[in-house]
Amino acid sequence: MRLIISPDYDSCSQWAADYVAYKIKVARPTENKPFVMAIPAGSSPLGMFKRLIEMLHKGKLSFQNVVIFNMDEYVGLSPDDEHSYHDFLWKNFFDHIDIKKKNVHLLNGQTKDFAKECASYEKLIRSYGGIDLLVAGVGEDGHIAFNEPGSSLASRTRVKTLNKNTIKANARFFDGDINLVPKNVLTIGIATIMDARDVMVIASGDKKAKALHEAVEGSINHMCPLSILQMHPHALIVCDEEATSELKADTVRYFKENEEVKMPQKKR
């Protein structure tokens, strides 16, 4: 696991956007062999979205041959509901980039058959050859997508009931009213996340410090789903200084030194 420690959220967002752009460009995607991503909704990726949009408008990046899956959705909300992740992702990202509509795949929170929707989603991901880069945020309790503490580390896309802490945390998107937050969601599973060839998690702020500590310095534990990334061959966490407040000083120093770019001395 790599830990990229940046000064603040803006720096995290820039690093994350640069990484996404780099992975797309290196892949040289085509219509017949697109670059496949999974992205989250919520506040964590907003800065990254903004910078990716800027890159596109400057002609430095294109999403023409990129396929994108979302990671979760509230059950019962229509796609045009302002609180749905479908609406959030279109308004904050898809509407501003050159992605083809047929290349956007979002979970259907209004499905009448949860099992069929989830199985079809997994099948669709496999039909593209899997996810090349999965970008995620992390909850205060270490949940990734909506895989909350106690989730099976072998889980796949499924319907989940949210715990009280997550409902309380997400109430900020529902005018602070916990009664308006849907209690059930569809979410990709931890095994689905682990199947991605590359995983990048954005963690910003001191509220994420406990989860980061448990994921980086603790053992792999289903009570901190993020900790499973210790087993991923190509996982990295982009975080700011505040999010490292519960890490040991030696741990922070190690990862900072490990990521330093040592420029060669010029010959005189």
Side-chain angles (χ1 to χ4, degrees):
M1 180 194 295
R2 294 173 62 192
L3 191 64
I4 311 298
I5 303 173
S6 298
D8 50 35
Y9 174 72
D10 286 341
S11 300
C12 288
S13 298
Q14 187 63 62
W15 200 100
D18 287 342
Y19 188 74
V20 169
Y22 166 76
K23 297 297 290 188
I24 292 174
K25 291 175 182 178
V26 167
R28 297 176 182 265
T30 64
E31 184 172 356
N32 294 326
K33 191 178 180 182
F35 185 80
V36 183
M37 292 183 61
I39 62 172
S43 55
S44 293
L46 282 175
M48 180 190 72
F49 290 163
K50 178 181 177 182
R51 285 156 181 79
L52 288 172
I53 292 166
E54 289 171 353
M55 289 181 193
L56 181 140
H57 290 166
K58 292 178 181 178
K60 297 180 179 180
L61 184 64
S62 173
F63 290 87
Q64 279 284 312
N65 295 315
V66 175
V67 168
I68 298 182
F69 289 85
N70 78 325
M71 299 173 64
D72 37 36
E73 181 58 277
Y74 290 112
V75 167
L77 297 188
S78 65
D80 58 355
D81 188 299
E82 64 177 343
H83 298 113
S84 73
Y85 288 161
H86 184 289
D87 184 75
F88 178 94
L89 289 172
W90 276 103
K91 285 181 177 177
N92 289 286
F93 193 43
F94 299 140
D95 279 339
H96 308 282
I97 60 176
D98 60 344
I99 193 166
K100 299 170 184 172
K101 193 169 184 177
K102 68 175 184 179
N103 286 344
V104 174
H105 302 291
L106 308 175
L107 283 160
N108 177 16
Q110 290 191 303
T111 181
K112 301 299 182 183
D113 190 333
F114 296 132
K116 182 178 180 181
E117 172 69 12
C118 295
S120 297
Y121 208 65
E122 289 279 340
K123 184 177 180 181
L124 186 59
I125 291 172
R126 290 195 299 272
S127 74
Y128 282 101
I131 296 168
D132 294 306
L133 173 62
L134 182 143
V135 181
V138 59
E140 296 175 26
D141 57 5
H143 74 254
I144 182 169
F146 270 127
N147 296 288
E148 297 180 309
S151 293
S152 168
L153 300 182
S155 58
R156 293 283 176 183
T157 303
R158 66 206 186 284
V159 63
K160 281 275 281 107
T161 299
L162 299 180
N163 66 37
K164 290 182 179 179
N165 289 334
T166 301
I167 291 172
K168 184 178 179 180
N170 285 9
R172 68 187 189 277
F173 300 115
F174 293 80
D175 300 321
D177 189 346
I178 61 173
N179 296 311
L180 296 178
V181 183
K183 306 303 185 287
N184 298 303
V185 296
L186 297 180
T187 180
I188 63 173
I190 294 176
T192 315
I193 292 169
M194 292 295 286
D195 279 349
R197 282 178 273 280
D198 284 272
V199 175
M200 176 174 64
V201 173
I202 302 170
S204 176
D206 56 6
K207 290 184 178 180
K208 308 298 176 70
K210 184 175 184 294
L212 191 63
H213 157 64
E214 292 178 354
V216 175
E217 295 179 328
S219 60
I220 297 171
N221 192 314
H222 68 163
M223 296 309 290
C224 179
L226 183 65
S227 66
I228 191 63
L229 293 189
Q230 294 179 30
M231 294 293 293
H232 196 285
H234 301 290
L236 61 87
I237 300 175
V238 185
C239 63
D240 59 14
E241 294 282 357
E242 287 188 359
T244 69
S245 61
E246 292 198 24
L247 294 178
K248 296 175 182 177
D250 286 347
T251 300
V252 173
R253 185 182 308 113
Y254 169 79
F255 280 107
K256 282 186 174 180
E257 291 177 351
N258 207 39
E259 294 298 333
E260 282 182 355
V261 178
K262 296 180 173 63
M263 300 300 290
Q265 292 286 334
K266 290 185 179 181
K267 294 183 179 180
R268 298 190 178 184

